[in-house]
Amino acid sequence: MLVVSVIVHDRANGRVVLLRRGDDRPFAPGLWSLPSGKGAPGEPITHTAVRELREETGLEVEPQALRLTHVTHSAESPEAPEGFVVLVFAAQEWGGDPVNAEPDKHSAVAWCDTDDLPTDFVPSTRYALQRYLAGERPEVAVDGWGDA
């Protein structure tokens, strides 16, 4: 399964958009994360990122405004027992104000201070966000594969 996450970074105000997953979600219930979602067949991955960000937060970004910042290959999840790949993009240009556009999936969407990120955060996503905020080069990380 191919998944995208999007970092919407308001560099001028030192904040990023995060969402809190609903308590009934099969993956990471109740944890904070980046706006994320699955690719659709025949859809370019940058269009997936644009679509998922809009569907979850109401924010609009152009595909050309996205920059790849991280790749995670995870061993499994409830929705992908054979593993999945997450491409994390960042955007510093967007339109609109964030709203919880999918209240059936998320309990909150909010701007969060980059110096005070929540501790109850999806670990692999937090790692990708922290690397991005530290100015690290993109990397490929593996999660849940033992010593890989």
Side-chain angles (χ1 to χ4, degrees), residues 24-148:
D24 62 345
R25 304 306 302 159
F27 175 75
L31 297 183
W32 287 94
S33 191
L34 296 168
S36 304
K38 295 177 245 169
E43 181 180 51
I45 198 64
T46 52
H47 291 212
T48 300
V50 168
R51 176 181 54 77
E52 286 292 342
L53 181 66
R54 182 182 56 252
E55 287 176 0
E56 293 186 340
T57 69
L59 295 174
E60 298 283 345
V61 297
E62 295 295 326
Q64 61 272 20
L66 298 169
R67 297 292 173 257
L68 183 66
T69 65
H70 193 79
V71 177
T72 301
H73 187 194
S74 292
E76 65 178 292
S77 84
E79 296 179 70
E82 296 180 12
F84 61 100
V85 175
V86 180
L87 301 177
V88 182
F89 293 98
Q92 295 182 21
E93 299 173 15
W94 68 92
D97 294 313
V99 297
N100 186 357
E102 293 184 324
D104 56 320
K105 295 181 180 179
H106 310 112
S107 60
V109 172
W111 285 109
C112 292
D113 189 318
T114 56
D115 292 328
D116 190 25
L117 296 174
T119 56
D120 51 343
F121 208 108
V122 175
S124 58
T125 308
R126 182 181 179 93
Y127 176 76
L129 177 57
Q130 288 175 321
R131 283 187 53 82
Y132 163 78
L133 292 172
E136 299 285 338
R137 291 181 40 197
E139 77 166 3
V140 175
V142 292
D143 182 44
W145 294 96
D147 294 334

Side-chain angles (χ1 to χ4, degrees), residues 3-14:
V3 177
V4 297
S5 292
V6 182
I7 300 167
V8 176
H9 187 195
D10 179 355
R11 188 178 295 272
N13 293 301

